[in-house]
Amino acid sequence: MSMNNLGIVKRNIVRADEAAVAKLSRFGVASIHEAMGRVGLMKPYMRPIYTGANVCGTAVTVLVHPGDNWMLHVAAEQLRPGDVAVVACTTDNEDGMFGDLLATSFRACGGLGLVIDAGVRDVRSLAEMKFPVWSRAISARGTVKATLGSVNVPVVCAGMLVEPGDVIVADDDGVVVVPRERAAAVAVASEAREKKEEATRKRLAEGEFGLDIYGMRETLAKAGLEYLEK
Amino acid sequence: MSMNNLGIVKRNIVRADEAAVAKLSRFGVASIHEAMGRVGLMKPYMRPIYTGANVCGTAVTVLVHPGDNWMLHVAAEQLRPGDVAVVACTTDNEDGMFGDLLATSFRACGGLGLVIDAGVRDVRSLAEMKFPVWSRAISARGTVKATLGSVNVPVVCAGMLVEPGDVIVADDDGVVVVPRERAAAVAVASEAREKKEEATRKRLAEGEFGLDIYGMRETLAKAGLEYLEK
Amino acid sequence: MSMNNLGIVKRNIVRADEAAVAKLSRFGVASIHEAMGRVGLMKPYMRPIYTGANVCGTAVTVLVHPGDNWMLHVAAEQLRPGDVAVVACTTDNEDGMFGDLLATSFRACGGLGLVIDAGVRDVRSLAEMKFPVWSRAISARGTVKATLGSVNVPVVCAGMLVEPGDVIVADDDGVVVVPRERAAAVAVASEAREKKEEATRKRLAEGEFGLDIYGMRETLAKAGLEYLEK
Amino acid sequence: MSMNNLGIVKRNIVRADEAAVAKLSRFGVASIHEAMGRVGLMKPYMRPIYTGANVCGTAVTVLVHPGDNWMLHVAAEQLRPGDVAVVACTTDNEDGMFGDLLATSFRACGGLGLVIDAGVRDVRSLAEMKFPVWSRAISARGTVKATLGSVNVPVVCAGMLVEPGDVIVADDDGVVVVPRERAAAVAVASEAREKKEEATRKRLAEGEFGLDIYGMRETLAKAGLEYLEK
Amino acid sequence: MSMNNLGIVKRNIVRADEAAVAKLSRFGVASIHEAMGRVGLMKPYMRPIYTGANVCGTAVTVLVHPGDNWMLHVAAEQLRPGDVAVVACTTDNEDGMFGDLLATSFRACGGLGLVIDAGVRDVRSLAEMKFPVWSRAISARGTVKATLGSVNVPVVCAGMLVEPGDVIVADDDGVVVVPRERAAAVAVASEAREKKEEATRKRLAEGEFGLDIYGMRETLAKAGLEYLEK
Amino acid sequence: MSMNNLGIVKRNIVRADEAAVAKLSRFGVASIHEAMGRVGLMKPYMRPIYTGANVCGTAVTVLVHPGDNWMLHVAAEQLRPGDVAVVACTTDNEDGMFGDLLATSFRACGGLGLVIDAGVRDVRSLAEMKFPVWSRAISARGTVKATLGSVNVPVVCAGMLVEPGDVIVADDDGVVVVPRERAAAVAVASEAREKKEEATRKRLAEGEFGLDIYGMRETLAKAGLEYLEK
C-alpha cells in the first residue's frame, strides 16, 4: 500500500512489543533521540498543551484534509489500549480539529494521548482531564466533516515519517518516533545512556569540566582553538 | 464614518445588551464560535498571557500606529464598566504597548481586559493583578506617543472585523467576536450547543463511537471509505 | 580583535561593576530598557523556559556553529560566579544545544543562567533546578561537537550586540543588555523611573487619566484629534 | 446581512462608479494609499505572481474553506466585465485554489484579475496569459469541492475589509482597497498627489534636500536632533 | 536499512523506468499531483531560483547536517545521467550549501538539477548555467565539511518522503515526488488529465461555466447554497 | 558614543579606503564572505528588489523607528558619492519607508543603493531607475515623520553589526559587511579565492570529483562513512 493513499482504513496493524514500550516509557525524549543515533524527532514547533505532559504508546496514524476532522472520528474506533493517535494533514493547517469530546472518546477506547500537526481546542478541559496533546497550534476554529483521509497509513507528521505501530514518546522537550522494530534495542540503549549521564552529572556537579570528562582538550587544540590572555 | 479613519474618537457607542453579555460569559470560545456558524474567531496567534485567563465584555476599539501607544491613553477615558479594549495596529508590530500602569488605569475605569494585535509587557504584574490580556507577543520594548490613531472606529484585529460595542469573549482557546446585534441569539444557541455536547460526552465516555452517535457510517461509505483487514 | 572571529577564547574579560549589577538586579527588564533610552532589548522571540524565571549577571559570550554545541563546553571553564552565558549562532538554528548536564556544569562554575539564540532541552529538569534560560526554541534535537566557534568575542544575539562583561537582565518580559560602562548610570536611572511609576500607579488607580497626568490633552488637540459625539 | 455568513451568494451588488475606477487605474498603489490617508492596504505578504502585473477593478468577494475551491466556480458566474475576484479563506491556507482553467473562465466572464489570500498554481500559464494574480503563496496542491462558502459578502482579505463593489488596485507594491463610495474622491486626491510628487522629484533630482523642500529642519531641531562633528 | 541512518552511502539504487520518466517530463507538477490522487507534493516554500526552471529525473537522496555540505561532495560521485539530487537536512537550516562549483560537478556527472531543503548561493551563475534548483532559501552563507550524513537513504524533504530512485518533477508551481513503482501509471493518468483539461479549457473560454461543465449546481443546492437577489 | 543612541547625526565619518572598495566591487558576496572567514553576512531574508541588482560602497547607517522614515531624509544630506545607505529599525517592521522620491534624492547625492531592514515601495520605478535595494519586504504602506532616530551610529541590520564607513557588498546572494579596516586585506583574499575556484571549476567540469580534488576520501573514511553495495 502506497504512502498517502486517501480513503483507506487499515484495521489490523502490528504494534511495537509491549515490554519494549513499557521500558521506553521510563526515558525522556532527548535520551531516546540520542540513543537512536540522533534521529527520529518531530520538528520543535510541536508543543505540549500543558507543562509536564508526557506519553509513551503505539501509533495509530491519521491523515486528514485541512479544516476537516472527519477521520478523527473514524480513528477513534481503531484505537486500542496503549495507543497514541498521530495526526498529519495534507497541507499546513492550524484549525482546532480536536477537543474534549474526542478526548473523551479516545480515552474510552484506551487511547493515551494525541500528537497532531494541526490545532486543538478546549485546552483547559484537556489539561483538567490530564489528556496529553502535542500540537502545532491552539485554535478554537471548528472543522467540517466532508472529505476523506486515511487511518493507519504511513504519514509524515511534523517532518518525521510515522508508520502505524511505531512507538511515540513525547514530553516537554518534544516528540520522538521509534520505529516498531527498533523499539527493544532503543530501550536498551536509552537506559545505558541515562546511566552514563547520571555518572557524568555527578562529576560536573563537583566542578570537573566536560572538556576533561569528554577528553576534548586535544581535539580542540588540533582544530586550532586559540586561547588569548587579553 | 469610514473604516480606518485616523484621528477620531467616537464618544458614544452602542454596546451589546447587558443580559446577553452576561449569558455569553458562561460559555467557552469554541462553543460560541460553533454556535455562530463557525465564524467570528481571531487568528490563533492571539494567546493569553497566563493560563486560565478569560473575559467577556463589550468592545472599545483602538487603532494605533506601530511603536506608538498614544491612543491607549485616549482609550482609557472611553472605557465603561464591562468593556474590553480591542487594539489593532495599522501594520504588524510586536512592541510592548501596554503594561501594568495602563492596566491599573483601565481597571479603574471598569475595563475588564485587553485584546491587542501587538505586544504587551509587565506580564508578571499583569498576571498577579489577574488582568487578562490576549496578545500576539510579549515584549519589553517601549513605545512613543507621537502619532494619532482612533478610538471606537471599526477595526480589523487579528484578521477579524470588530465594531465598537461588539461582544468579545476570550479564553485559553482564543478570542471570538460576537456582533452586537447577534449577541442574544448567539447566547441562546451556545447554551443549546453546550447542553447537547454534555449529552454526547456521556455517551462517548461510555464507549459509544462518534461514528454511531453522529450517524457517519453511511456517509463515509458513500464517500468511498474502504476498510482493509491487513 | 574583530567581531566574529572564529576559533578564539578570550580568557580575561572586564566585567561590569559588581555593585552596579547588584543594583540592576532589583529592576525589571522593561524599566531598565526605558531607563536606557528605549534601547538594548533582544528580539521578543527570546522566551523564558518557565514562568517567573529571572536573572541578572555579567555576560560570557559564546559563538557557535548550527547543530554544534562544542563551544558551550569550552565556555563552562570561562564562567565566573555571577556570569550569564550568552550564546549566538552563526546562522538561525533551533537545535537543543543545552540541557541539564551543561546546566549542572555551569552552575558548578557559578553561572547564573543562559540566554541562547538557539534551542534547549531537558526543560523540565532545568525548571526543577531553577536554572533560568531564555531561548528561541525548545528542542530535544542533539548536536555534534565538530566545528570551532569562539568565547568572549562580541556577538549579535537575537538582534542585539553583546560584548563580554556587559550586564544581562532577563525576566518574563524578555532580555535586555546593559553595556558594561553604562551599568551604574542605568541602575540609577532605573530606580528613578520605578519610583516615578509607583507614584503614577497610585494616581491611575484612583481614577485619574494618563491624559491628565502626562498632560497629553493639548498635544493631542494640536495633532488634530477629533472627538465625535455620535 | 452579517459578515461571514456561509452558504450565500449575493447576485446584485452595487459596483463603484465606472469613471472613478477608470481614473484610479492611472495611479499606483502607493499613491492611492497615501491619498486615502494611509489606509486601505492589504498585508505585504500578498505578492504578484509575475513582475509588472497590475489591475484596477471592482471587487467580487469570495469566502472559501481551506483546501476547497468550490466557491470559485460559483463566483465565476457572478463576475461582470471590469471585476476583480477577491478571495478570503476562513483560516490560513496556502493550497493552490486557482489555476489556468479558472483564469480562462474568469476572463471569459470579463474578470480582470485575482487577489487571493491563499495559493495559486499554473503560474507560468497565468503569466503567459497575462492574467494578473496577487496571492500569499504559489502551490501546486489541489483542492476539493465539498464545503460551502459565500460570494459577495464582506470579507477580511489579508487583513483588510473588502465589501463587494469596492475598487481593488494592485501592482508590484501590493494591493489597496478603495471603498466604493470614496472612489471618486480618492481618484482626485491621488491625481493631486502624483502631480505634487512630480514637482518634488525634479527638485530632489537637482540636489535639493527633502529637509528643505518639506521644511523639516526646524521640527527636527525642536525634537532634539543633535549634529555631532566627529 | 532504517530511515535516517547516518554515515551511509548506498551505491546501487533502483531507478524509476526511463520511459516512464521521459513521459512524465511532458507534464506539469500540478497535473501530476492531481493524477496521483492529490498527493506527493513538497511544501510550497520550495521555490525555483529562476523563473521557468523545470526538471524531471530520478532522485539521488542526500541527508546533511545543518551548516555542513560535506555529503554533497559525496553525492556527486553517486549521480548518474538523468538524476536529480534531493537534499534533506536533519534540522531546519538556510545556509548556502550549494553553488556553481558543485553545479559544475553535478552536471559533469549527468545530474540534471537540485531540490534542497536548505539554502543555495551563486544564484546568478546557476541561472546563467541554466542549472535548475528549488530551495527553501537563497543565502551566501558558507558551510563546513565536518559531520557525516548519508546518501541514498530514504529522506523527508520539505514534508515529503523521498526514496532513492523516485521520480522528481519540478517547475514554477513546486516539486512533486512520484514513487518509483508508480511512475508509469502516473504518467498515463497525467496524460489523460491534461487531455481532459484541454477540452474543458475550450469550453470555459467560450463562456460555459464550470458549474455546468462539472455538474455542480445540484450538489451546491443540496448542500444548501442560497442565492439572494439583493 | 554608545551604540543605539537616539537623536544623533554624526557628520564626519571615516570611510573605507577607496581603492579597497573598488577592488572589492569585482567579487561576489559569497566569495567575500568566505574570504573573511565565513562571517559578515546579513540574514538571508534580505533580498534584492530586482534580479541582477548589485552594489559595493561605504555605509552611511540609519536607525529608524517603526512606521517612521523621518531619518531617511536626514540621512540623504550625509551621503557622499560612493555611499550605500544601511537602515536598521528599532523593532521588526515592514512598512514601505523608501520609494522613488528618496531614491532620486539619494542618487543626486551620489548614493549608490540601499540596504534596509524594513520595507520599500515604488519597486517598479526603482527597478527602471536601476537603483539597487535589498530589503526584508516590499510594501506600499506609507510612514510618518514624527520620531527621532540616528544617522551614522553603529547599528545591527538584519543580524549584522554595521559601523559607519564599513564596506557593503550586495548581489543576488545577499548582503555582506566588510569592516572598514579589513577592506584591503579582504579584497586580496577574495581575489585569491576566486582564482582558486576558477581552477577547481575546470577540473570539476572535466569530471574530477571534489572528493579527490579536496582530498576528502580519507577523512570521510576516518569519520566512519560506510559504502553499501546494495
Side-chain angles (χ1 to χ4, degrees):
Chain A
M1 184 188 53
S2 153
M3 186 176 166
N4 277 334
N5 266 0
L6 299 174
I8 284 169
V9 181
K10 202 174 158 193
R11 279 189 204 275
N12 300 300
I13 62 172
V14 184
R15 287 168 170 83
D17 175 68
E18 231 175 286
V21 177
K23 189 165 189 178
L24 280 168
S25 74
R26 294 164 25 210
F27 310 114
V29 166
S31 293
I32 292 171
H33 157 70
E34 292 284 353
M36 284 175 72
R38 249 186 347 257
V39 301
L41 280 178
M42 291 191 187
K43 293 198 185 261
Y45 63 71
M46 296 296 282
R47 300 297 305 143
I49 59 166
Y50 57 87
T51 301
N54 72 80
V55 83
C56 177
T58 41
V60 161
T61 62
V62 192
L63 183 63
V64 301
H65 189 75
D68 192 314
N69 76 344
W70 213 9
M71 298 314 286
L72 293 186
H73 292 276
V74 175
E77 198 179 27
Q78 305 307 318
L79 290 171
R80 298 289 166 267
D83 282 344
V84 174
V86 176
V87 181
C89 190
T90 53
T91 193
D92 287 356
N93 183 248
E94 300 198 333
D95 291 350
M97 296 198 174
F98 182 94
D100 63 359
L101 287 186
L102 272 166
T104 301
S105 179
F106 278 26
R107 180 163 277 176
C109 302
L112 300 180
L114 173 73
V115 171
I116 180 167
D117 195 359
V120 291
R121 56 185 187 173
D122 302 331
V123 292
R124 198 179 325 181
S125 301
L126 294 174
E128 284 164 7
M129 290 171 67
K130 290 281 172 204
F131 190 89
V133 176
W134 287 255
S135 71
R136 77 183 290 149
I138 291 169
S139 169
R141 185 168 304 280
T143 49
V144 299
K145 297 168 208 328
T147 301
L148 292 187
S150 287
V151 175
N152 282 332
V153 297
V155 296
V156 173
C157 180
M160 185 52 45
L161 180 70
V162 185
E163 307 249 8
D166 283 350
V167 188
I168 304 298
V169 191
D171 63 19
D172 289 323
D173 284 348
V175 184
V176 69
V177 182
V178 184
R180 197 187 66 205
E181 67 276 13
R182 296 186 61 191
V186 170
V188 170
S190 301
E191 189 168 39
R193 187 175 171 87
E194 292 218 343
K195 262 187 201 151
K196 194 175 133 201
E197 287 206 345
E198 192 44 43
T200 306
R201 189 176 290 109
K202 275 182 199 148
R203 296 175 65 185
L204 291 169
E206 285 159 7
E208 277 190 81
F209 291 115
L211 292 176
D212 298 309
I213 296 174
Y214 304 118
M216 291 171 178
R217 291 195 192 273
E218 197 183 355
T219 36
L220 282 164
K222 223 152 121 186
L225 189 66
E226 199 182 344
Y227 284 84
L228 305 179
E229 291 311 312
K230 141 212 110 72
Chain B
M1 185 188 52
S2 155
M3 187 177 166
N4 277 334
N5 266 2
L6 300 173
I8 285 169
V9 182
K10 203 175 158 191
R11 280 190 203 275
N12 300 299
I13 62 170
V14 184
R15 287 167 172 83
D17 175 67
E18 233 176 283
V21 177
K23 189 164 189 177
L24 279 168
S25 74
R26 293 163 26 209
F27 310 115
V29 166
S31 294
I32 292 172
H33 157 71
E34 291 284 352
M36 283 176 72
R38 248 184 350 256
V39 300
L41 280 178
M42 290 190 187
K43 294 199 186 258
Y45 62 71
M46 295 295 282
R47 299 299 304 144
I49 58 167
Y50 57 86
T51 302
N54 73 79
V55 83
C56 176
T58 41
V60 161
T61 62
V62 193
L63 182 63
V64 300
H65 189 75
D68 193 313
N69 76 345
W70 213 9
M71 298 314 286
L72 294 185
H73 293 275
V74 174
E77 197 179 28
Q78 305 306 319
L79 290 170
R80 299 289 165 267
D83 282 345
V84 174
V86 176
V87 181
C89 189
T90 54
T91 194
D92 286 358
N93 183 248
E94 301 199 333
D95 290 350
M97 296 199 175
F98 182 94
D100 63 0
L101 287 185
L102 271 166
T104 301
S105 179
F106 277 26
R107 180 163 277 177
C109 302
L112 300 179
L114 173 73
V115 171
I116 180 167
D117 195 359
V120 291
R121 56 186 186 171
D122 302 331
V123 293
R124 198 179 325 182
S125 301
L126 294 174
E128 284 164 9
M129 291 171 67
K130 291 280 173 206
F131 190 89
V133 176
W134 287 255
S135 72
R136 78 183 290 149
I138 291 169
S139 169
R141 185 168 305 280
T143 49
V144 299
K145 295 168 212 325
T147 301
L148 292 187
S150 288
V151 175
N152 283 332
V153 297
V155 296
V156 172
C157 179
M160 185 53 45
L161 180 70
V162 185
E163 308 249 9
D166 284 350
V167 188
I168 303 298
V169 190
D171 62 19
D172 289 323
D173 284 348
V175 184
V176 69
V177 182
V178 184
R180 197 187 69 205
E181 66 276 11
R182 294 187 61 190
V186 170
V188 170
S190 301
E191 188 170 40
R193 185 173 173 89
E194 292 217 343
K195 263 187 201 152
K196 194 175 134 200
E197 286 205 346
E198 193 43 46
T200 306
R201 189 175 290 109
K202 276 183 200 148
R203 295 174 64 184
L204 291 168
E206 287 159 7
E208 276 191 82
F209 291 114
L211 293 177
D212 299 309
I213 296 173
Y214 304 117
M216 291 171 177
R217 291 195 192 273
E218 197 184 354
T219 36
L220 282 164
K222 224 152 123 186
L225 188 67
E226 201 181 345
Y227 284 84
L228 305 178
E229 291 312 311
K230 144 209 108 71
Chain C
M1 183 188 55
S2 153
M3 187 176 165
N4 277 333
N5 266 2
L6 299 173
I8 284 169
V9 182
K10 202 174 157 191
R11 277 190 205 275
N12 300 299
I13 61 171
V14 184
R15 288 168 172 83
D17 174 68
E18 231 176 285
V21 177
K23 189 165 189 178
L24 279 168
S25 75
R26 292 163 27 210
F27 310 115
V29 166
S31 293
I32 292 172
H33 156 70
E34 292 284 352
M36 284 176 72
R38 250 186 346 258
V39 301
L41 281 178
M42 291 191 186
K43 295 199 185 260
Y45 63 71
M46 296 296 283
R47 299 299 304 145
I49 59 166
Y50 56 88
T51 302
N54 72 80
V55 85
C56 176
T58 41
V60 161
T61 62
V62 192
L63 183 62
V64 300
H65 190 75
D68 192 312
N69 76 345
W70 212 9
M71 299 314 287
L72 293 186
H73 292 275
V74 174
E77 198 178 24
Q78 305 307 318
L79 290 170
R80 297 291 166 267
D83 281 345
V84 173
V86 176
V87 182
C89 189
T90 54
T91 193
D92 287 357
N93 182 248
E94 301 199 331
D95 290 351
M97 296 198 174
F98 181 93
D100 62 359
L101 287 185
L102 272 166
T104 301
S105 178
F106 278 26
R107 180 163 278 175
C109 302
L112 301 180
L114 174 73
V115 171
I116 181 168
D117 196 359
V120 292
R121 55 186 187 172
D122 302 332
V123 292
R124 199 179 325 184
S125 302
L126 295 174
E128 284 164 9
M129 291 170 68
K130 290 280 172 207
F131 190 89
V133 177
W134 287 255
S135 71
R136 76 182 292 149
I138 291 168
S139 169
R141 185 168 305 280
T143 49
V144 300
K145 296 170 211 323
T147 301
L148 292 186
S150 288
V151 175
N152 282 333
V153 296
V155 297
V156 172
C157 179
M160 185 54 43
L161 179 71
V162 185
E163 308 250 8
D166 284 350
V167 188
I168 304 297
V169 190
D171 62 19
D172 290 324
D173 284 348
V175 184
V176 69
V177 183
V178 184
R180 198 187 65 205
E181 67 277 10
R182 294 187 62 191
V186 169
V188 170
S190 301
E191 188 169 40
R193 187 176 171 87
E194 293 218 342
K195 263 186 202 150
K196 195 174 132 199
E197 287 206 344
E198 193 44 45
T200 306
R201 190 177 289 109
K202 274 181 201 149
R203 294 174 67 183
L204 291 168
E206 286 159 6
E208 276 191 81
F209 291 113
L211 293 177
D212 298 310
I213 296 173
Y214 304 118
M216 291 170 177
R217 292 196 192 272
E218 197 184 353
T219 36
L220 282 164
K222 222 151 121 187
L225 189 67
E226 201 181 343
Y227 284 84
L228 305 178
E229 290 312 311
K230 139 210 112 70
Chain D
M1 183 187 53
S2 153
M3 187 176 165
N4 276 336
N5 265 1
L6 299 174
I8 285 169
V9 182
K10 203 175 157 191
R11 280 191 203 274
N12 300 300
I13 61 171
V14 184
R15 287 167 172 84
D17 175 67
E18 232 176 285
V21 177
K23 189 164 189 178
L24 280 168
S25 74
R26 293 164 23 208
F27 311 114
V29 166
S31 293
I32 292 172
H33 157 70
E34 292 285 352
M36 284 176 73
R38 249 183 351 255
V39 301
L41 280 178
M42 291 190 186
K43 293 197 186 261
Y45 63 70
M46 296 294 283
R47 299 298 305 143
I49 57 166
Y50 56 88
T51 302
N54 72 80
V55 83
C56 177
T58 41
V60 161
T61 63
V62 192
L63 183 63
V64 300
H65 190 75
D68 193 313
N69 76 345
W70 213 8
M71 298 314 287
L72 294 187
H73 292 277
V74 174
E77 198 179 26
Q78 305 306 318
L79 290 171
R80 298 291 166 265
D83 282 344
V84 173
V86 176
V87 182
C89 189
T90 54
T91 193
D92 287 355
N93 182 249
E94 300 198 334
D95 291 349
M97 296 199 174
F98 182 92
D100 62 359
L101 287 186
L102 271 166
T104 301
S105 179
F106 277 26
R107 179 162 279 175
C109 302
L112 300 180
L114 174 74
V115 170
I116 181 167
D117 196 359
V120 291
R121 57 184 185 174
D122 303 331
V123 292
R124 198 179 326 182
S125 302
L126 294 174
E128 284 164 7
M129 290 172 67
K130 290 281 173 204
F131 190 89
V133 176
W134 287 254
S135 71
R136 78 183 287 148
I138 291 169
S139 169
R141 185 168 304 280
T143 49
V144 300
K145 296 168 210 324
T147 301
L148 292 187
S150 288
V151 175
N152 282 332
V153 297
V155 297
V156 172
C157 179
M160 185 53 44
L161 178 70
V162 185
E163 308 249 8
D166 284 349
V167 188
I168 304 298
V169 191
D171 62 20
D172 289 323
D173 284 348
V175 184
V176 70
V177 182
V178 184
R180 197 187 67 205
E181 66 277 10
R182 294 186 63 191
V186 170
V188 170
S190 302
E191 188 169 40
R193 189 178 170 84
E194 293 219 341
K195 262 186 203 151
K196 195 175 133 199
E197 287 206 344
E198 192 45 44
T200 307
R201 190 175 290 109
K202 274 180 201 150
R203 295 175 64 183
L204 291 168
E206 286 159 9
E208 277 191 80
F209 292 114
L211 293 176
D212 298 308
I213 296 174
Y214 304 118
M216 291 169 175
R217 293 197 190 270
E218 196 184 355
T219 37
L220 282 164
K222 222 151 124 188
L225 188 66
E226 201 182 343
Y227 284 84
L228 306 178
E229 290 313 310
K230 151 211 100 76
Chain E
M1 183 189 51
S2 155
M3 186 177 165
N4 276 336
N5 266 2
L6 299 174
I8 284 169
V9 183
K10 203 176 159 191
R11 280 190 204 275
N12 300 299
I13 62 171
V14 184
R15 287 168 171 84
D17 175 68
E18 231 175 286
V21 177
K23 188 164 189 178
L24 279 168
S25 74
R26 294 163 25 208
F27 310 115
V29 166
S31 292
I32 292 172
H33 158 70
E34 291 284 352
M36 284 176 73
R38 251 188 343 260
V39 300
L41 280 178
M42 291 190 186
K43 292 198 187 259
Y45 63 70
M46 296 294 283
R47 300 298 305 143
I49 58 166
Y50 56 88
T51 302
N54 72 81
V55 84
C56 177
T58 41
V60 162
T61 62
V62 192
L63 183 62
V64 300
H65 190 74
D68 192 313
N69 76 345
W70 213 8
M71 299 314 286
L72 294 186
H73 293 275
V74 175
E77 197 179 27
Q78 306 305 318
L79 291 171
R80 298 289 165 269
D83 281 345
V84 173
V86 176
V87 182
C89 189
T90 54
T91 193
D92 288 355
N93 182 248
E94 300 199 334
D95 290 349
M97 297 199 174
F98 182 93
D100 63 0
L101 287 186
L102 272 166
T104 301
S105 178
F106 278 26
R107 180 163 278 175
C109 303
L112 299 180
L114 173 74
V115 171
I116 180 167
D117 196 0
V120 291
R121 57 185 185 172
D122 302 330
V123 292
R124 199 178 325 181
S125 301
L126 294 174
E128 284 164 7
M129 291 171 66
K130 290 281 172 203
F131 190 89
V133 176
W134 286 255
S135 71
R136 77 183 289 150
I138 292 169
S139 169
R141 185 169 302 282
T143 49
V144 299
K145 296 169 211 322
T147 301
L148 291 187
S150 288
V151 175
N152 282 331
V153 297
V155 296
V156 172
C157 179
M160 185 53 44
L161 179 70
V162 185
E163 308 251 8
D166 284 350
V167 189
I168 303 297
V169 191
D171 61 20
D172 290 323
D173 284 349
V175 184
V176 69
V177 182
V178 184
R180 198 188 65 205
E181 66 277 12
R182 292 185 64 191
V186 169
V188 169
S190 301
E191 187 168 41
R193 188 176 169 85
E194 291 219 343
K195 262 186 199 149
K196 194 174 134 200
E197 286 206 346
E198 192 44 44
T200 307
R201 189 175 291 110
K202 274 181 200 149
R203 293 175 65 183
L204 291 168
E206 286 159 5
E208 277 191 80
F209 292 113
L211 293 176
D212 299 308
I213 296 174
Y214 304 117
M216 291 169 177
R217 292 195 191 273
E218 196 183 356
T219 37
L220 282 164
K222 222 151 126 187
L225 188 67
E226 202 182 341
Y227 284 85
L228 304 178
E229 291 311 313
K230 146 209 108 72
Chain F
M1 184 190 52
S2 154
M3 187 176 164
N4 277 335
N5 266 1
L6 299 174
I8 284 169
V9 183
K10 203 175 158 192
R11 279 190 205 274
N12 300 300
I13 61 171
V14 184
R15 288 169 171 84
D17 175 67
E18 230 175 288
V21 177
K23 189 165 190 177
L24 280 168
S25 74
R26 292 163 25 209
F27 310 115
V29 166
S31 293
I32 293 172
H33 157 71
E34 291 285 353
M36 284 177 72
R38 250 189 344 260
V39 300
L41 279 179
M42 291 191 186
K43 294 200 185 257
Y45 63 70
M46 296 296 283
R47 300 296 306 141
I49 58 167
Y50 57 88
T51 301
N54 73 81
V55 84
C56 177
T58 41
V60 161
T61 63
V62 193
L63 183 62
V64 300
H65 190 75
D68 194 312
N69 77 344
W70 212 9
M71 299 314 287
L72 293 186
H73 292 276
V74 174
E77 198 178 25
Q78 306 306 319
L79 290 171
R80 297 289 166 267
D83 282 345
V84 173
V86 175
V87 182
C89 189
T90 54
T91 194
D92 288 356
N93 181 248
E94 301 197 333
D95 291 350
M97 296 197 174
F98 182 92
D100 62 0
L101 287 186
L102 272 166
T104 301
S105 179
F106 278 26
R107 179 162 280 175
C109 302
L112 299 181
L114 174 74
V115 170
I116 181 166
D117 196 359
V120 291
R121 55 184 185 173
D122 303 330
V123 291
R124 198 177 328 180
S125 301
L126 294 174
E128 283 164 7
M129 289 172 68
K130 290 280 171 204
F131 190 89
V133 177
W134 287 255
S135 72
R136 78 183 288 150
I138 290 169
S139 169
R141 186 170 303 280
T143 49
V144 299
K145 296 169 211 325
T147 301
L148 291 188
S150 288
V151 175
N152 282 332
V153 297
V155 296
V156 172
C157 179
M160 185 52 45
L161 179 70
V162 185
E163 308 249 9
D166 284 350
V167 188
I168 303 298
V169 191
D171 62 19
D172 289 324
D173 284 348
V175 185
V176 70
V177 182
V178 184
R180 199 187 64 205
E181 66 276 10
R182 295 187 61 192
V186 170
V188 170
S190 301
E191 188 168 40
R193 189 176 170 86
E194 292 218 342
K195 263 186 201 151
K196 195 175 134 198
E197 287 206 345
E198 193 45 44
T200 307
R201 189 175 289 110
K202 274 181 201 150
R203 295 175 64 183
L204 291 168
E206 285 159 8
E208 276 191 83
F209 292 114
L211 293 176
D212 298 309
I213 296 173
Y214 304 117
M216 292 171 175
R217 292 193 192 274
E218 196 183 355
T219 37
L220 283 164
K222 221 149 124 189
L225 188 66
E226 200 182 344
Y227 285 84
L228 305 177
E229 291 311 312
K230 146 210 105 76

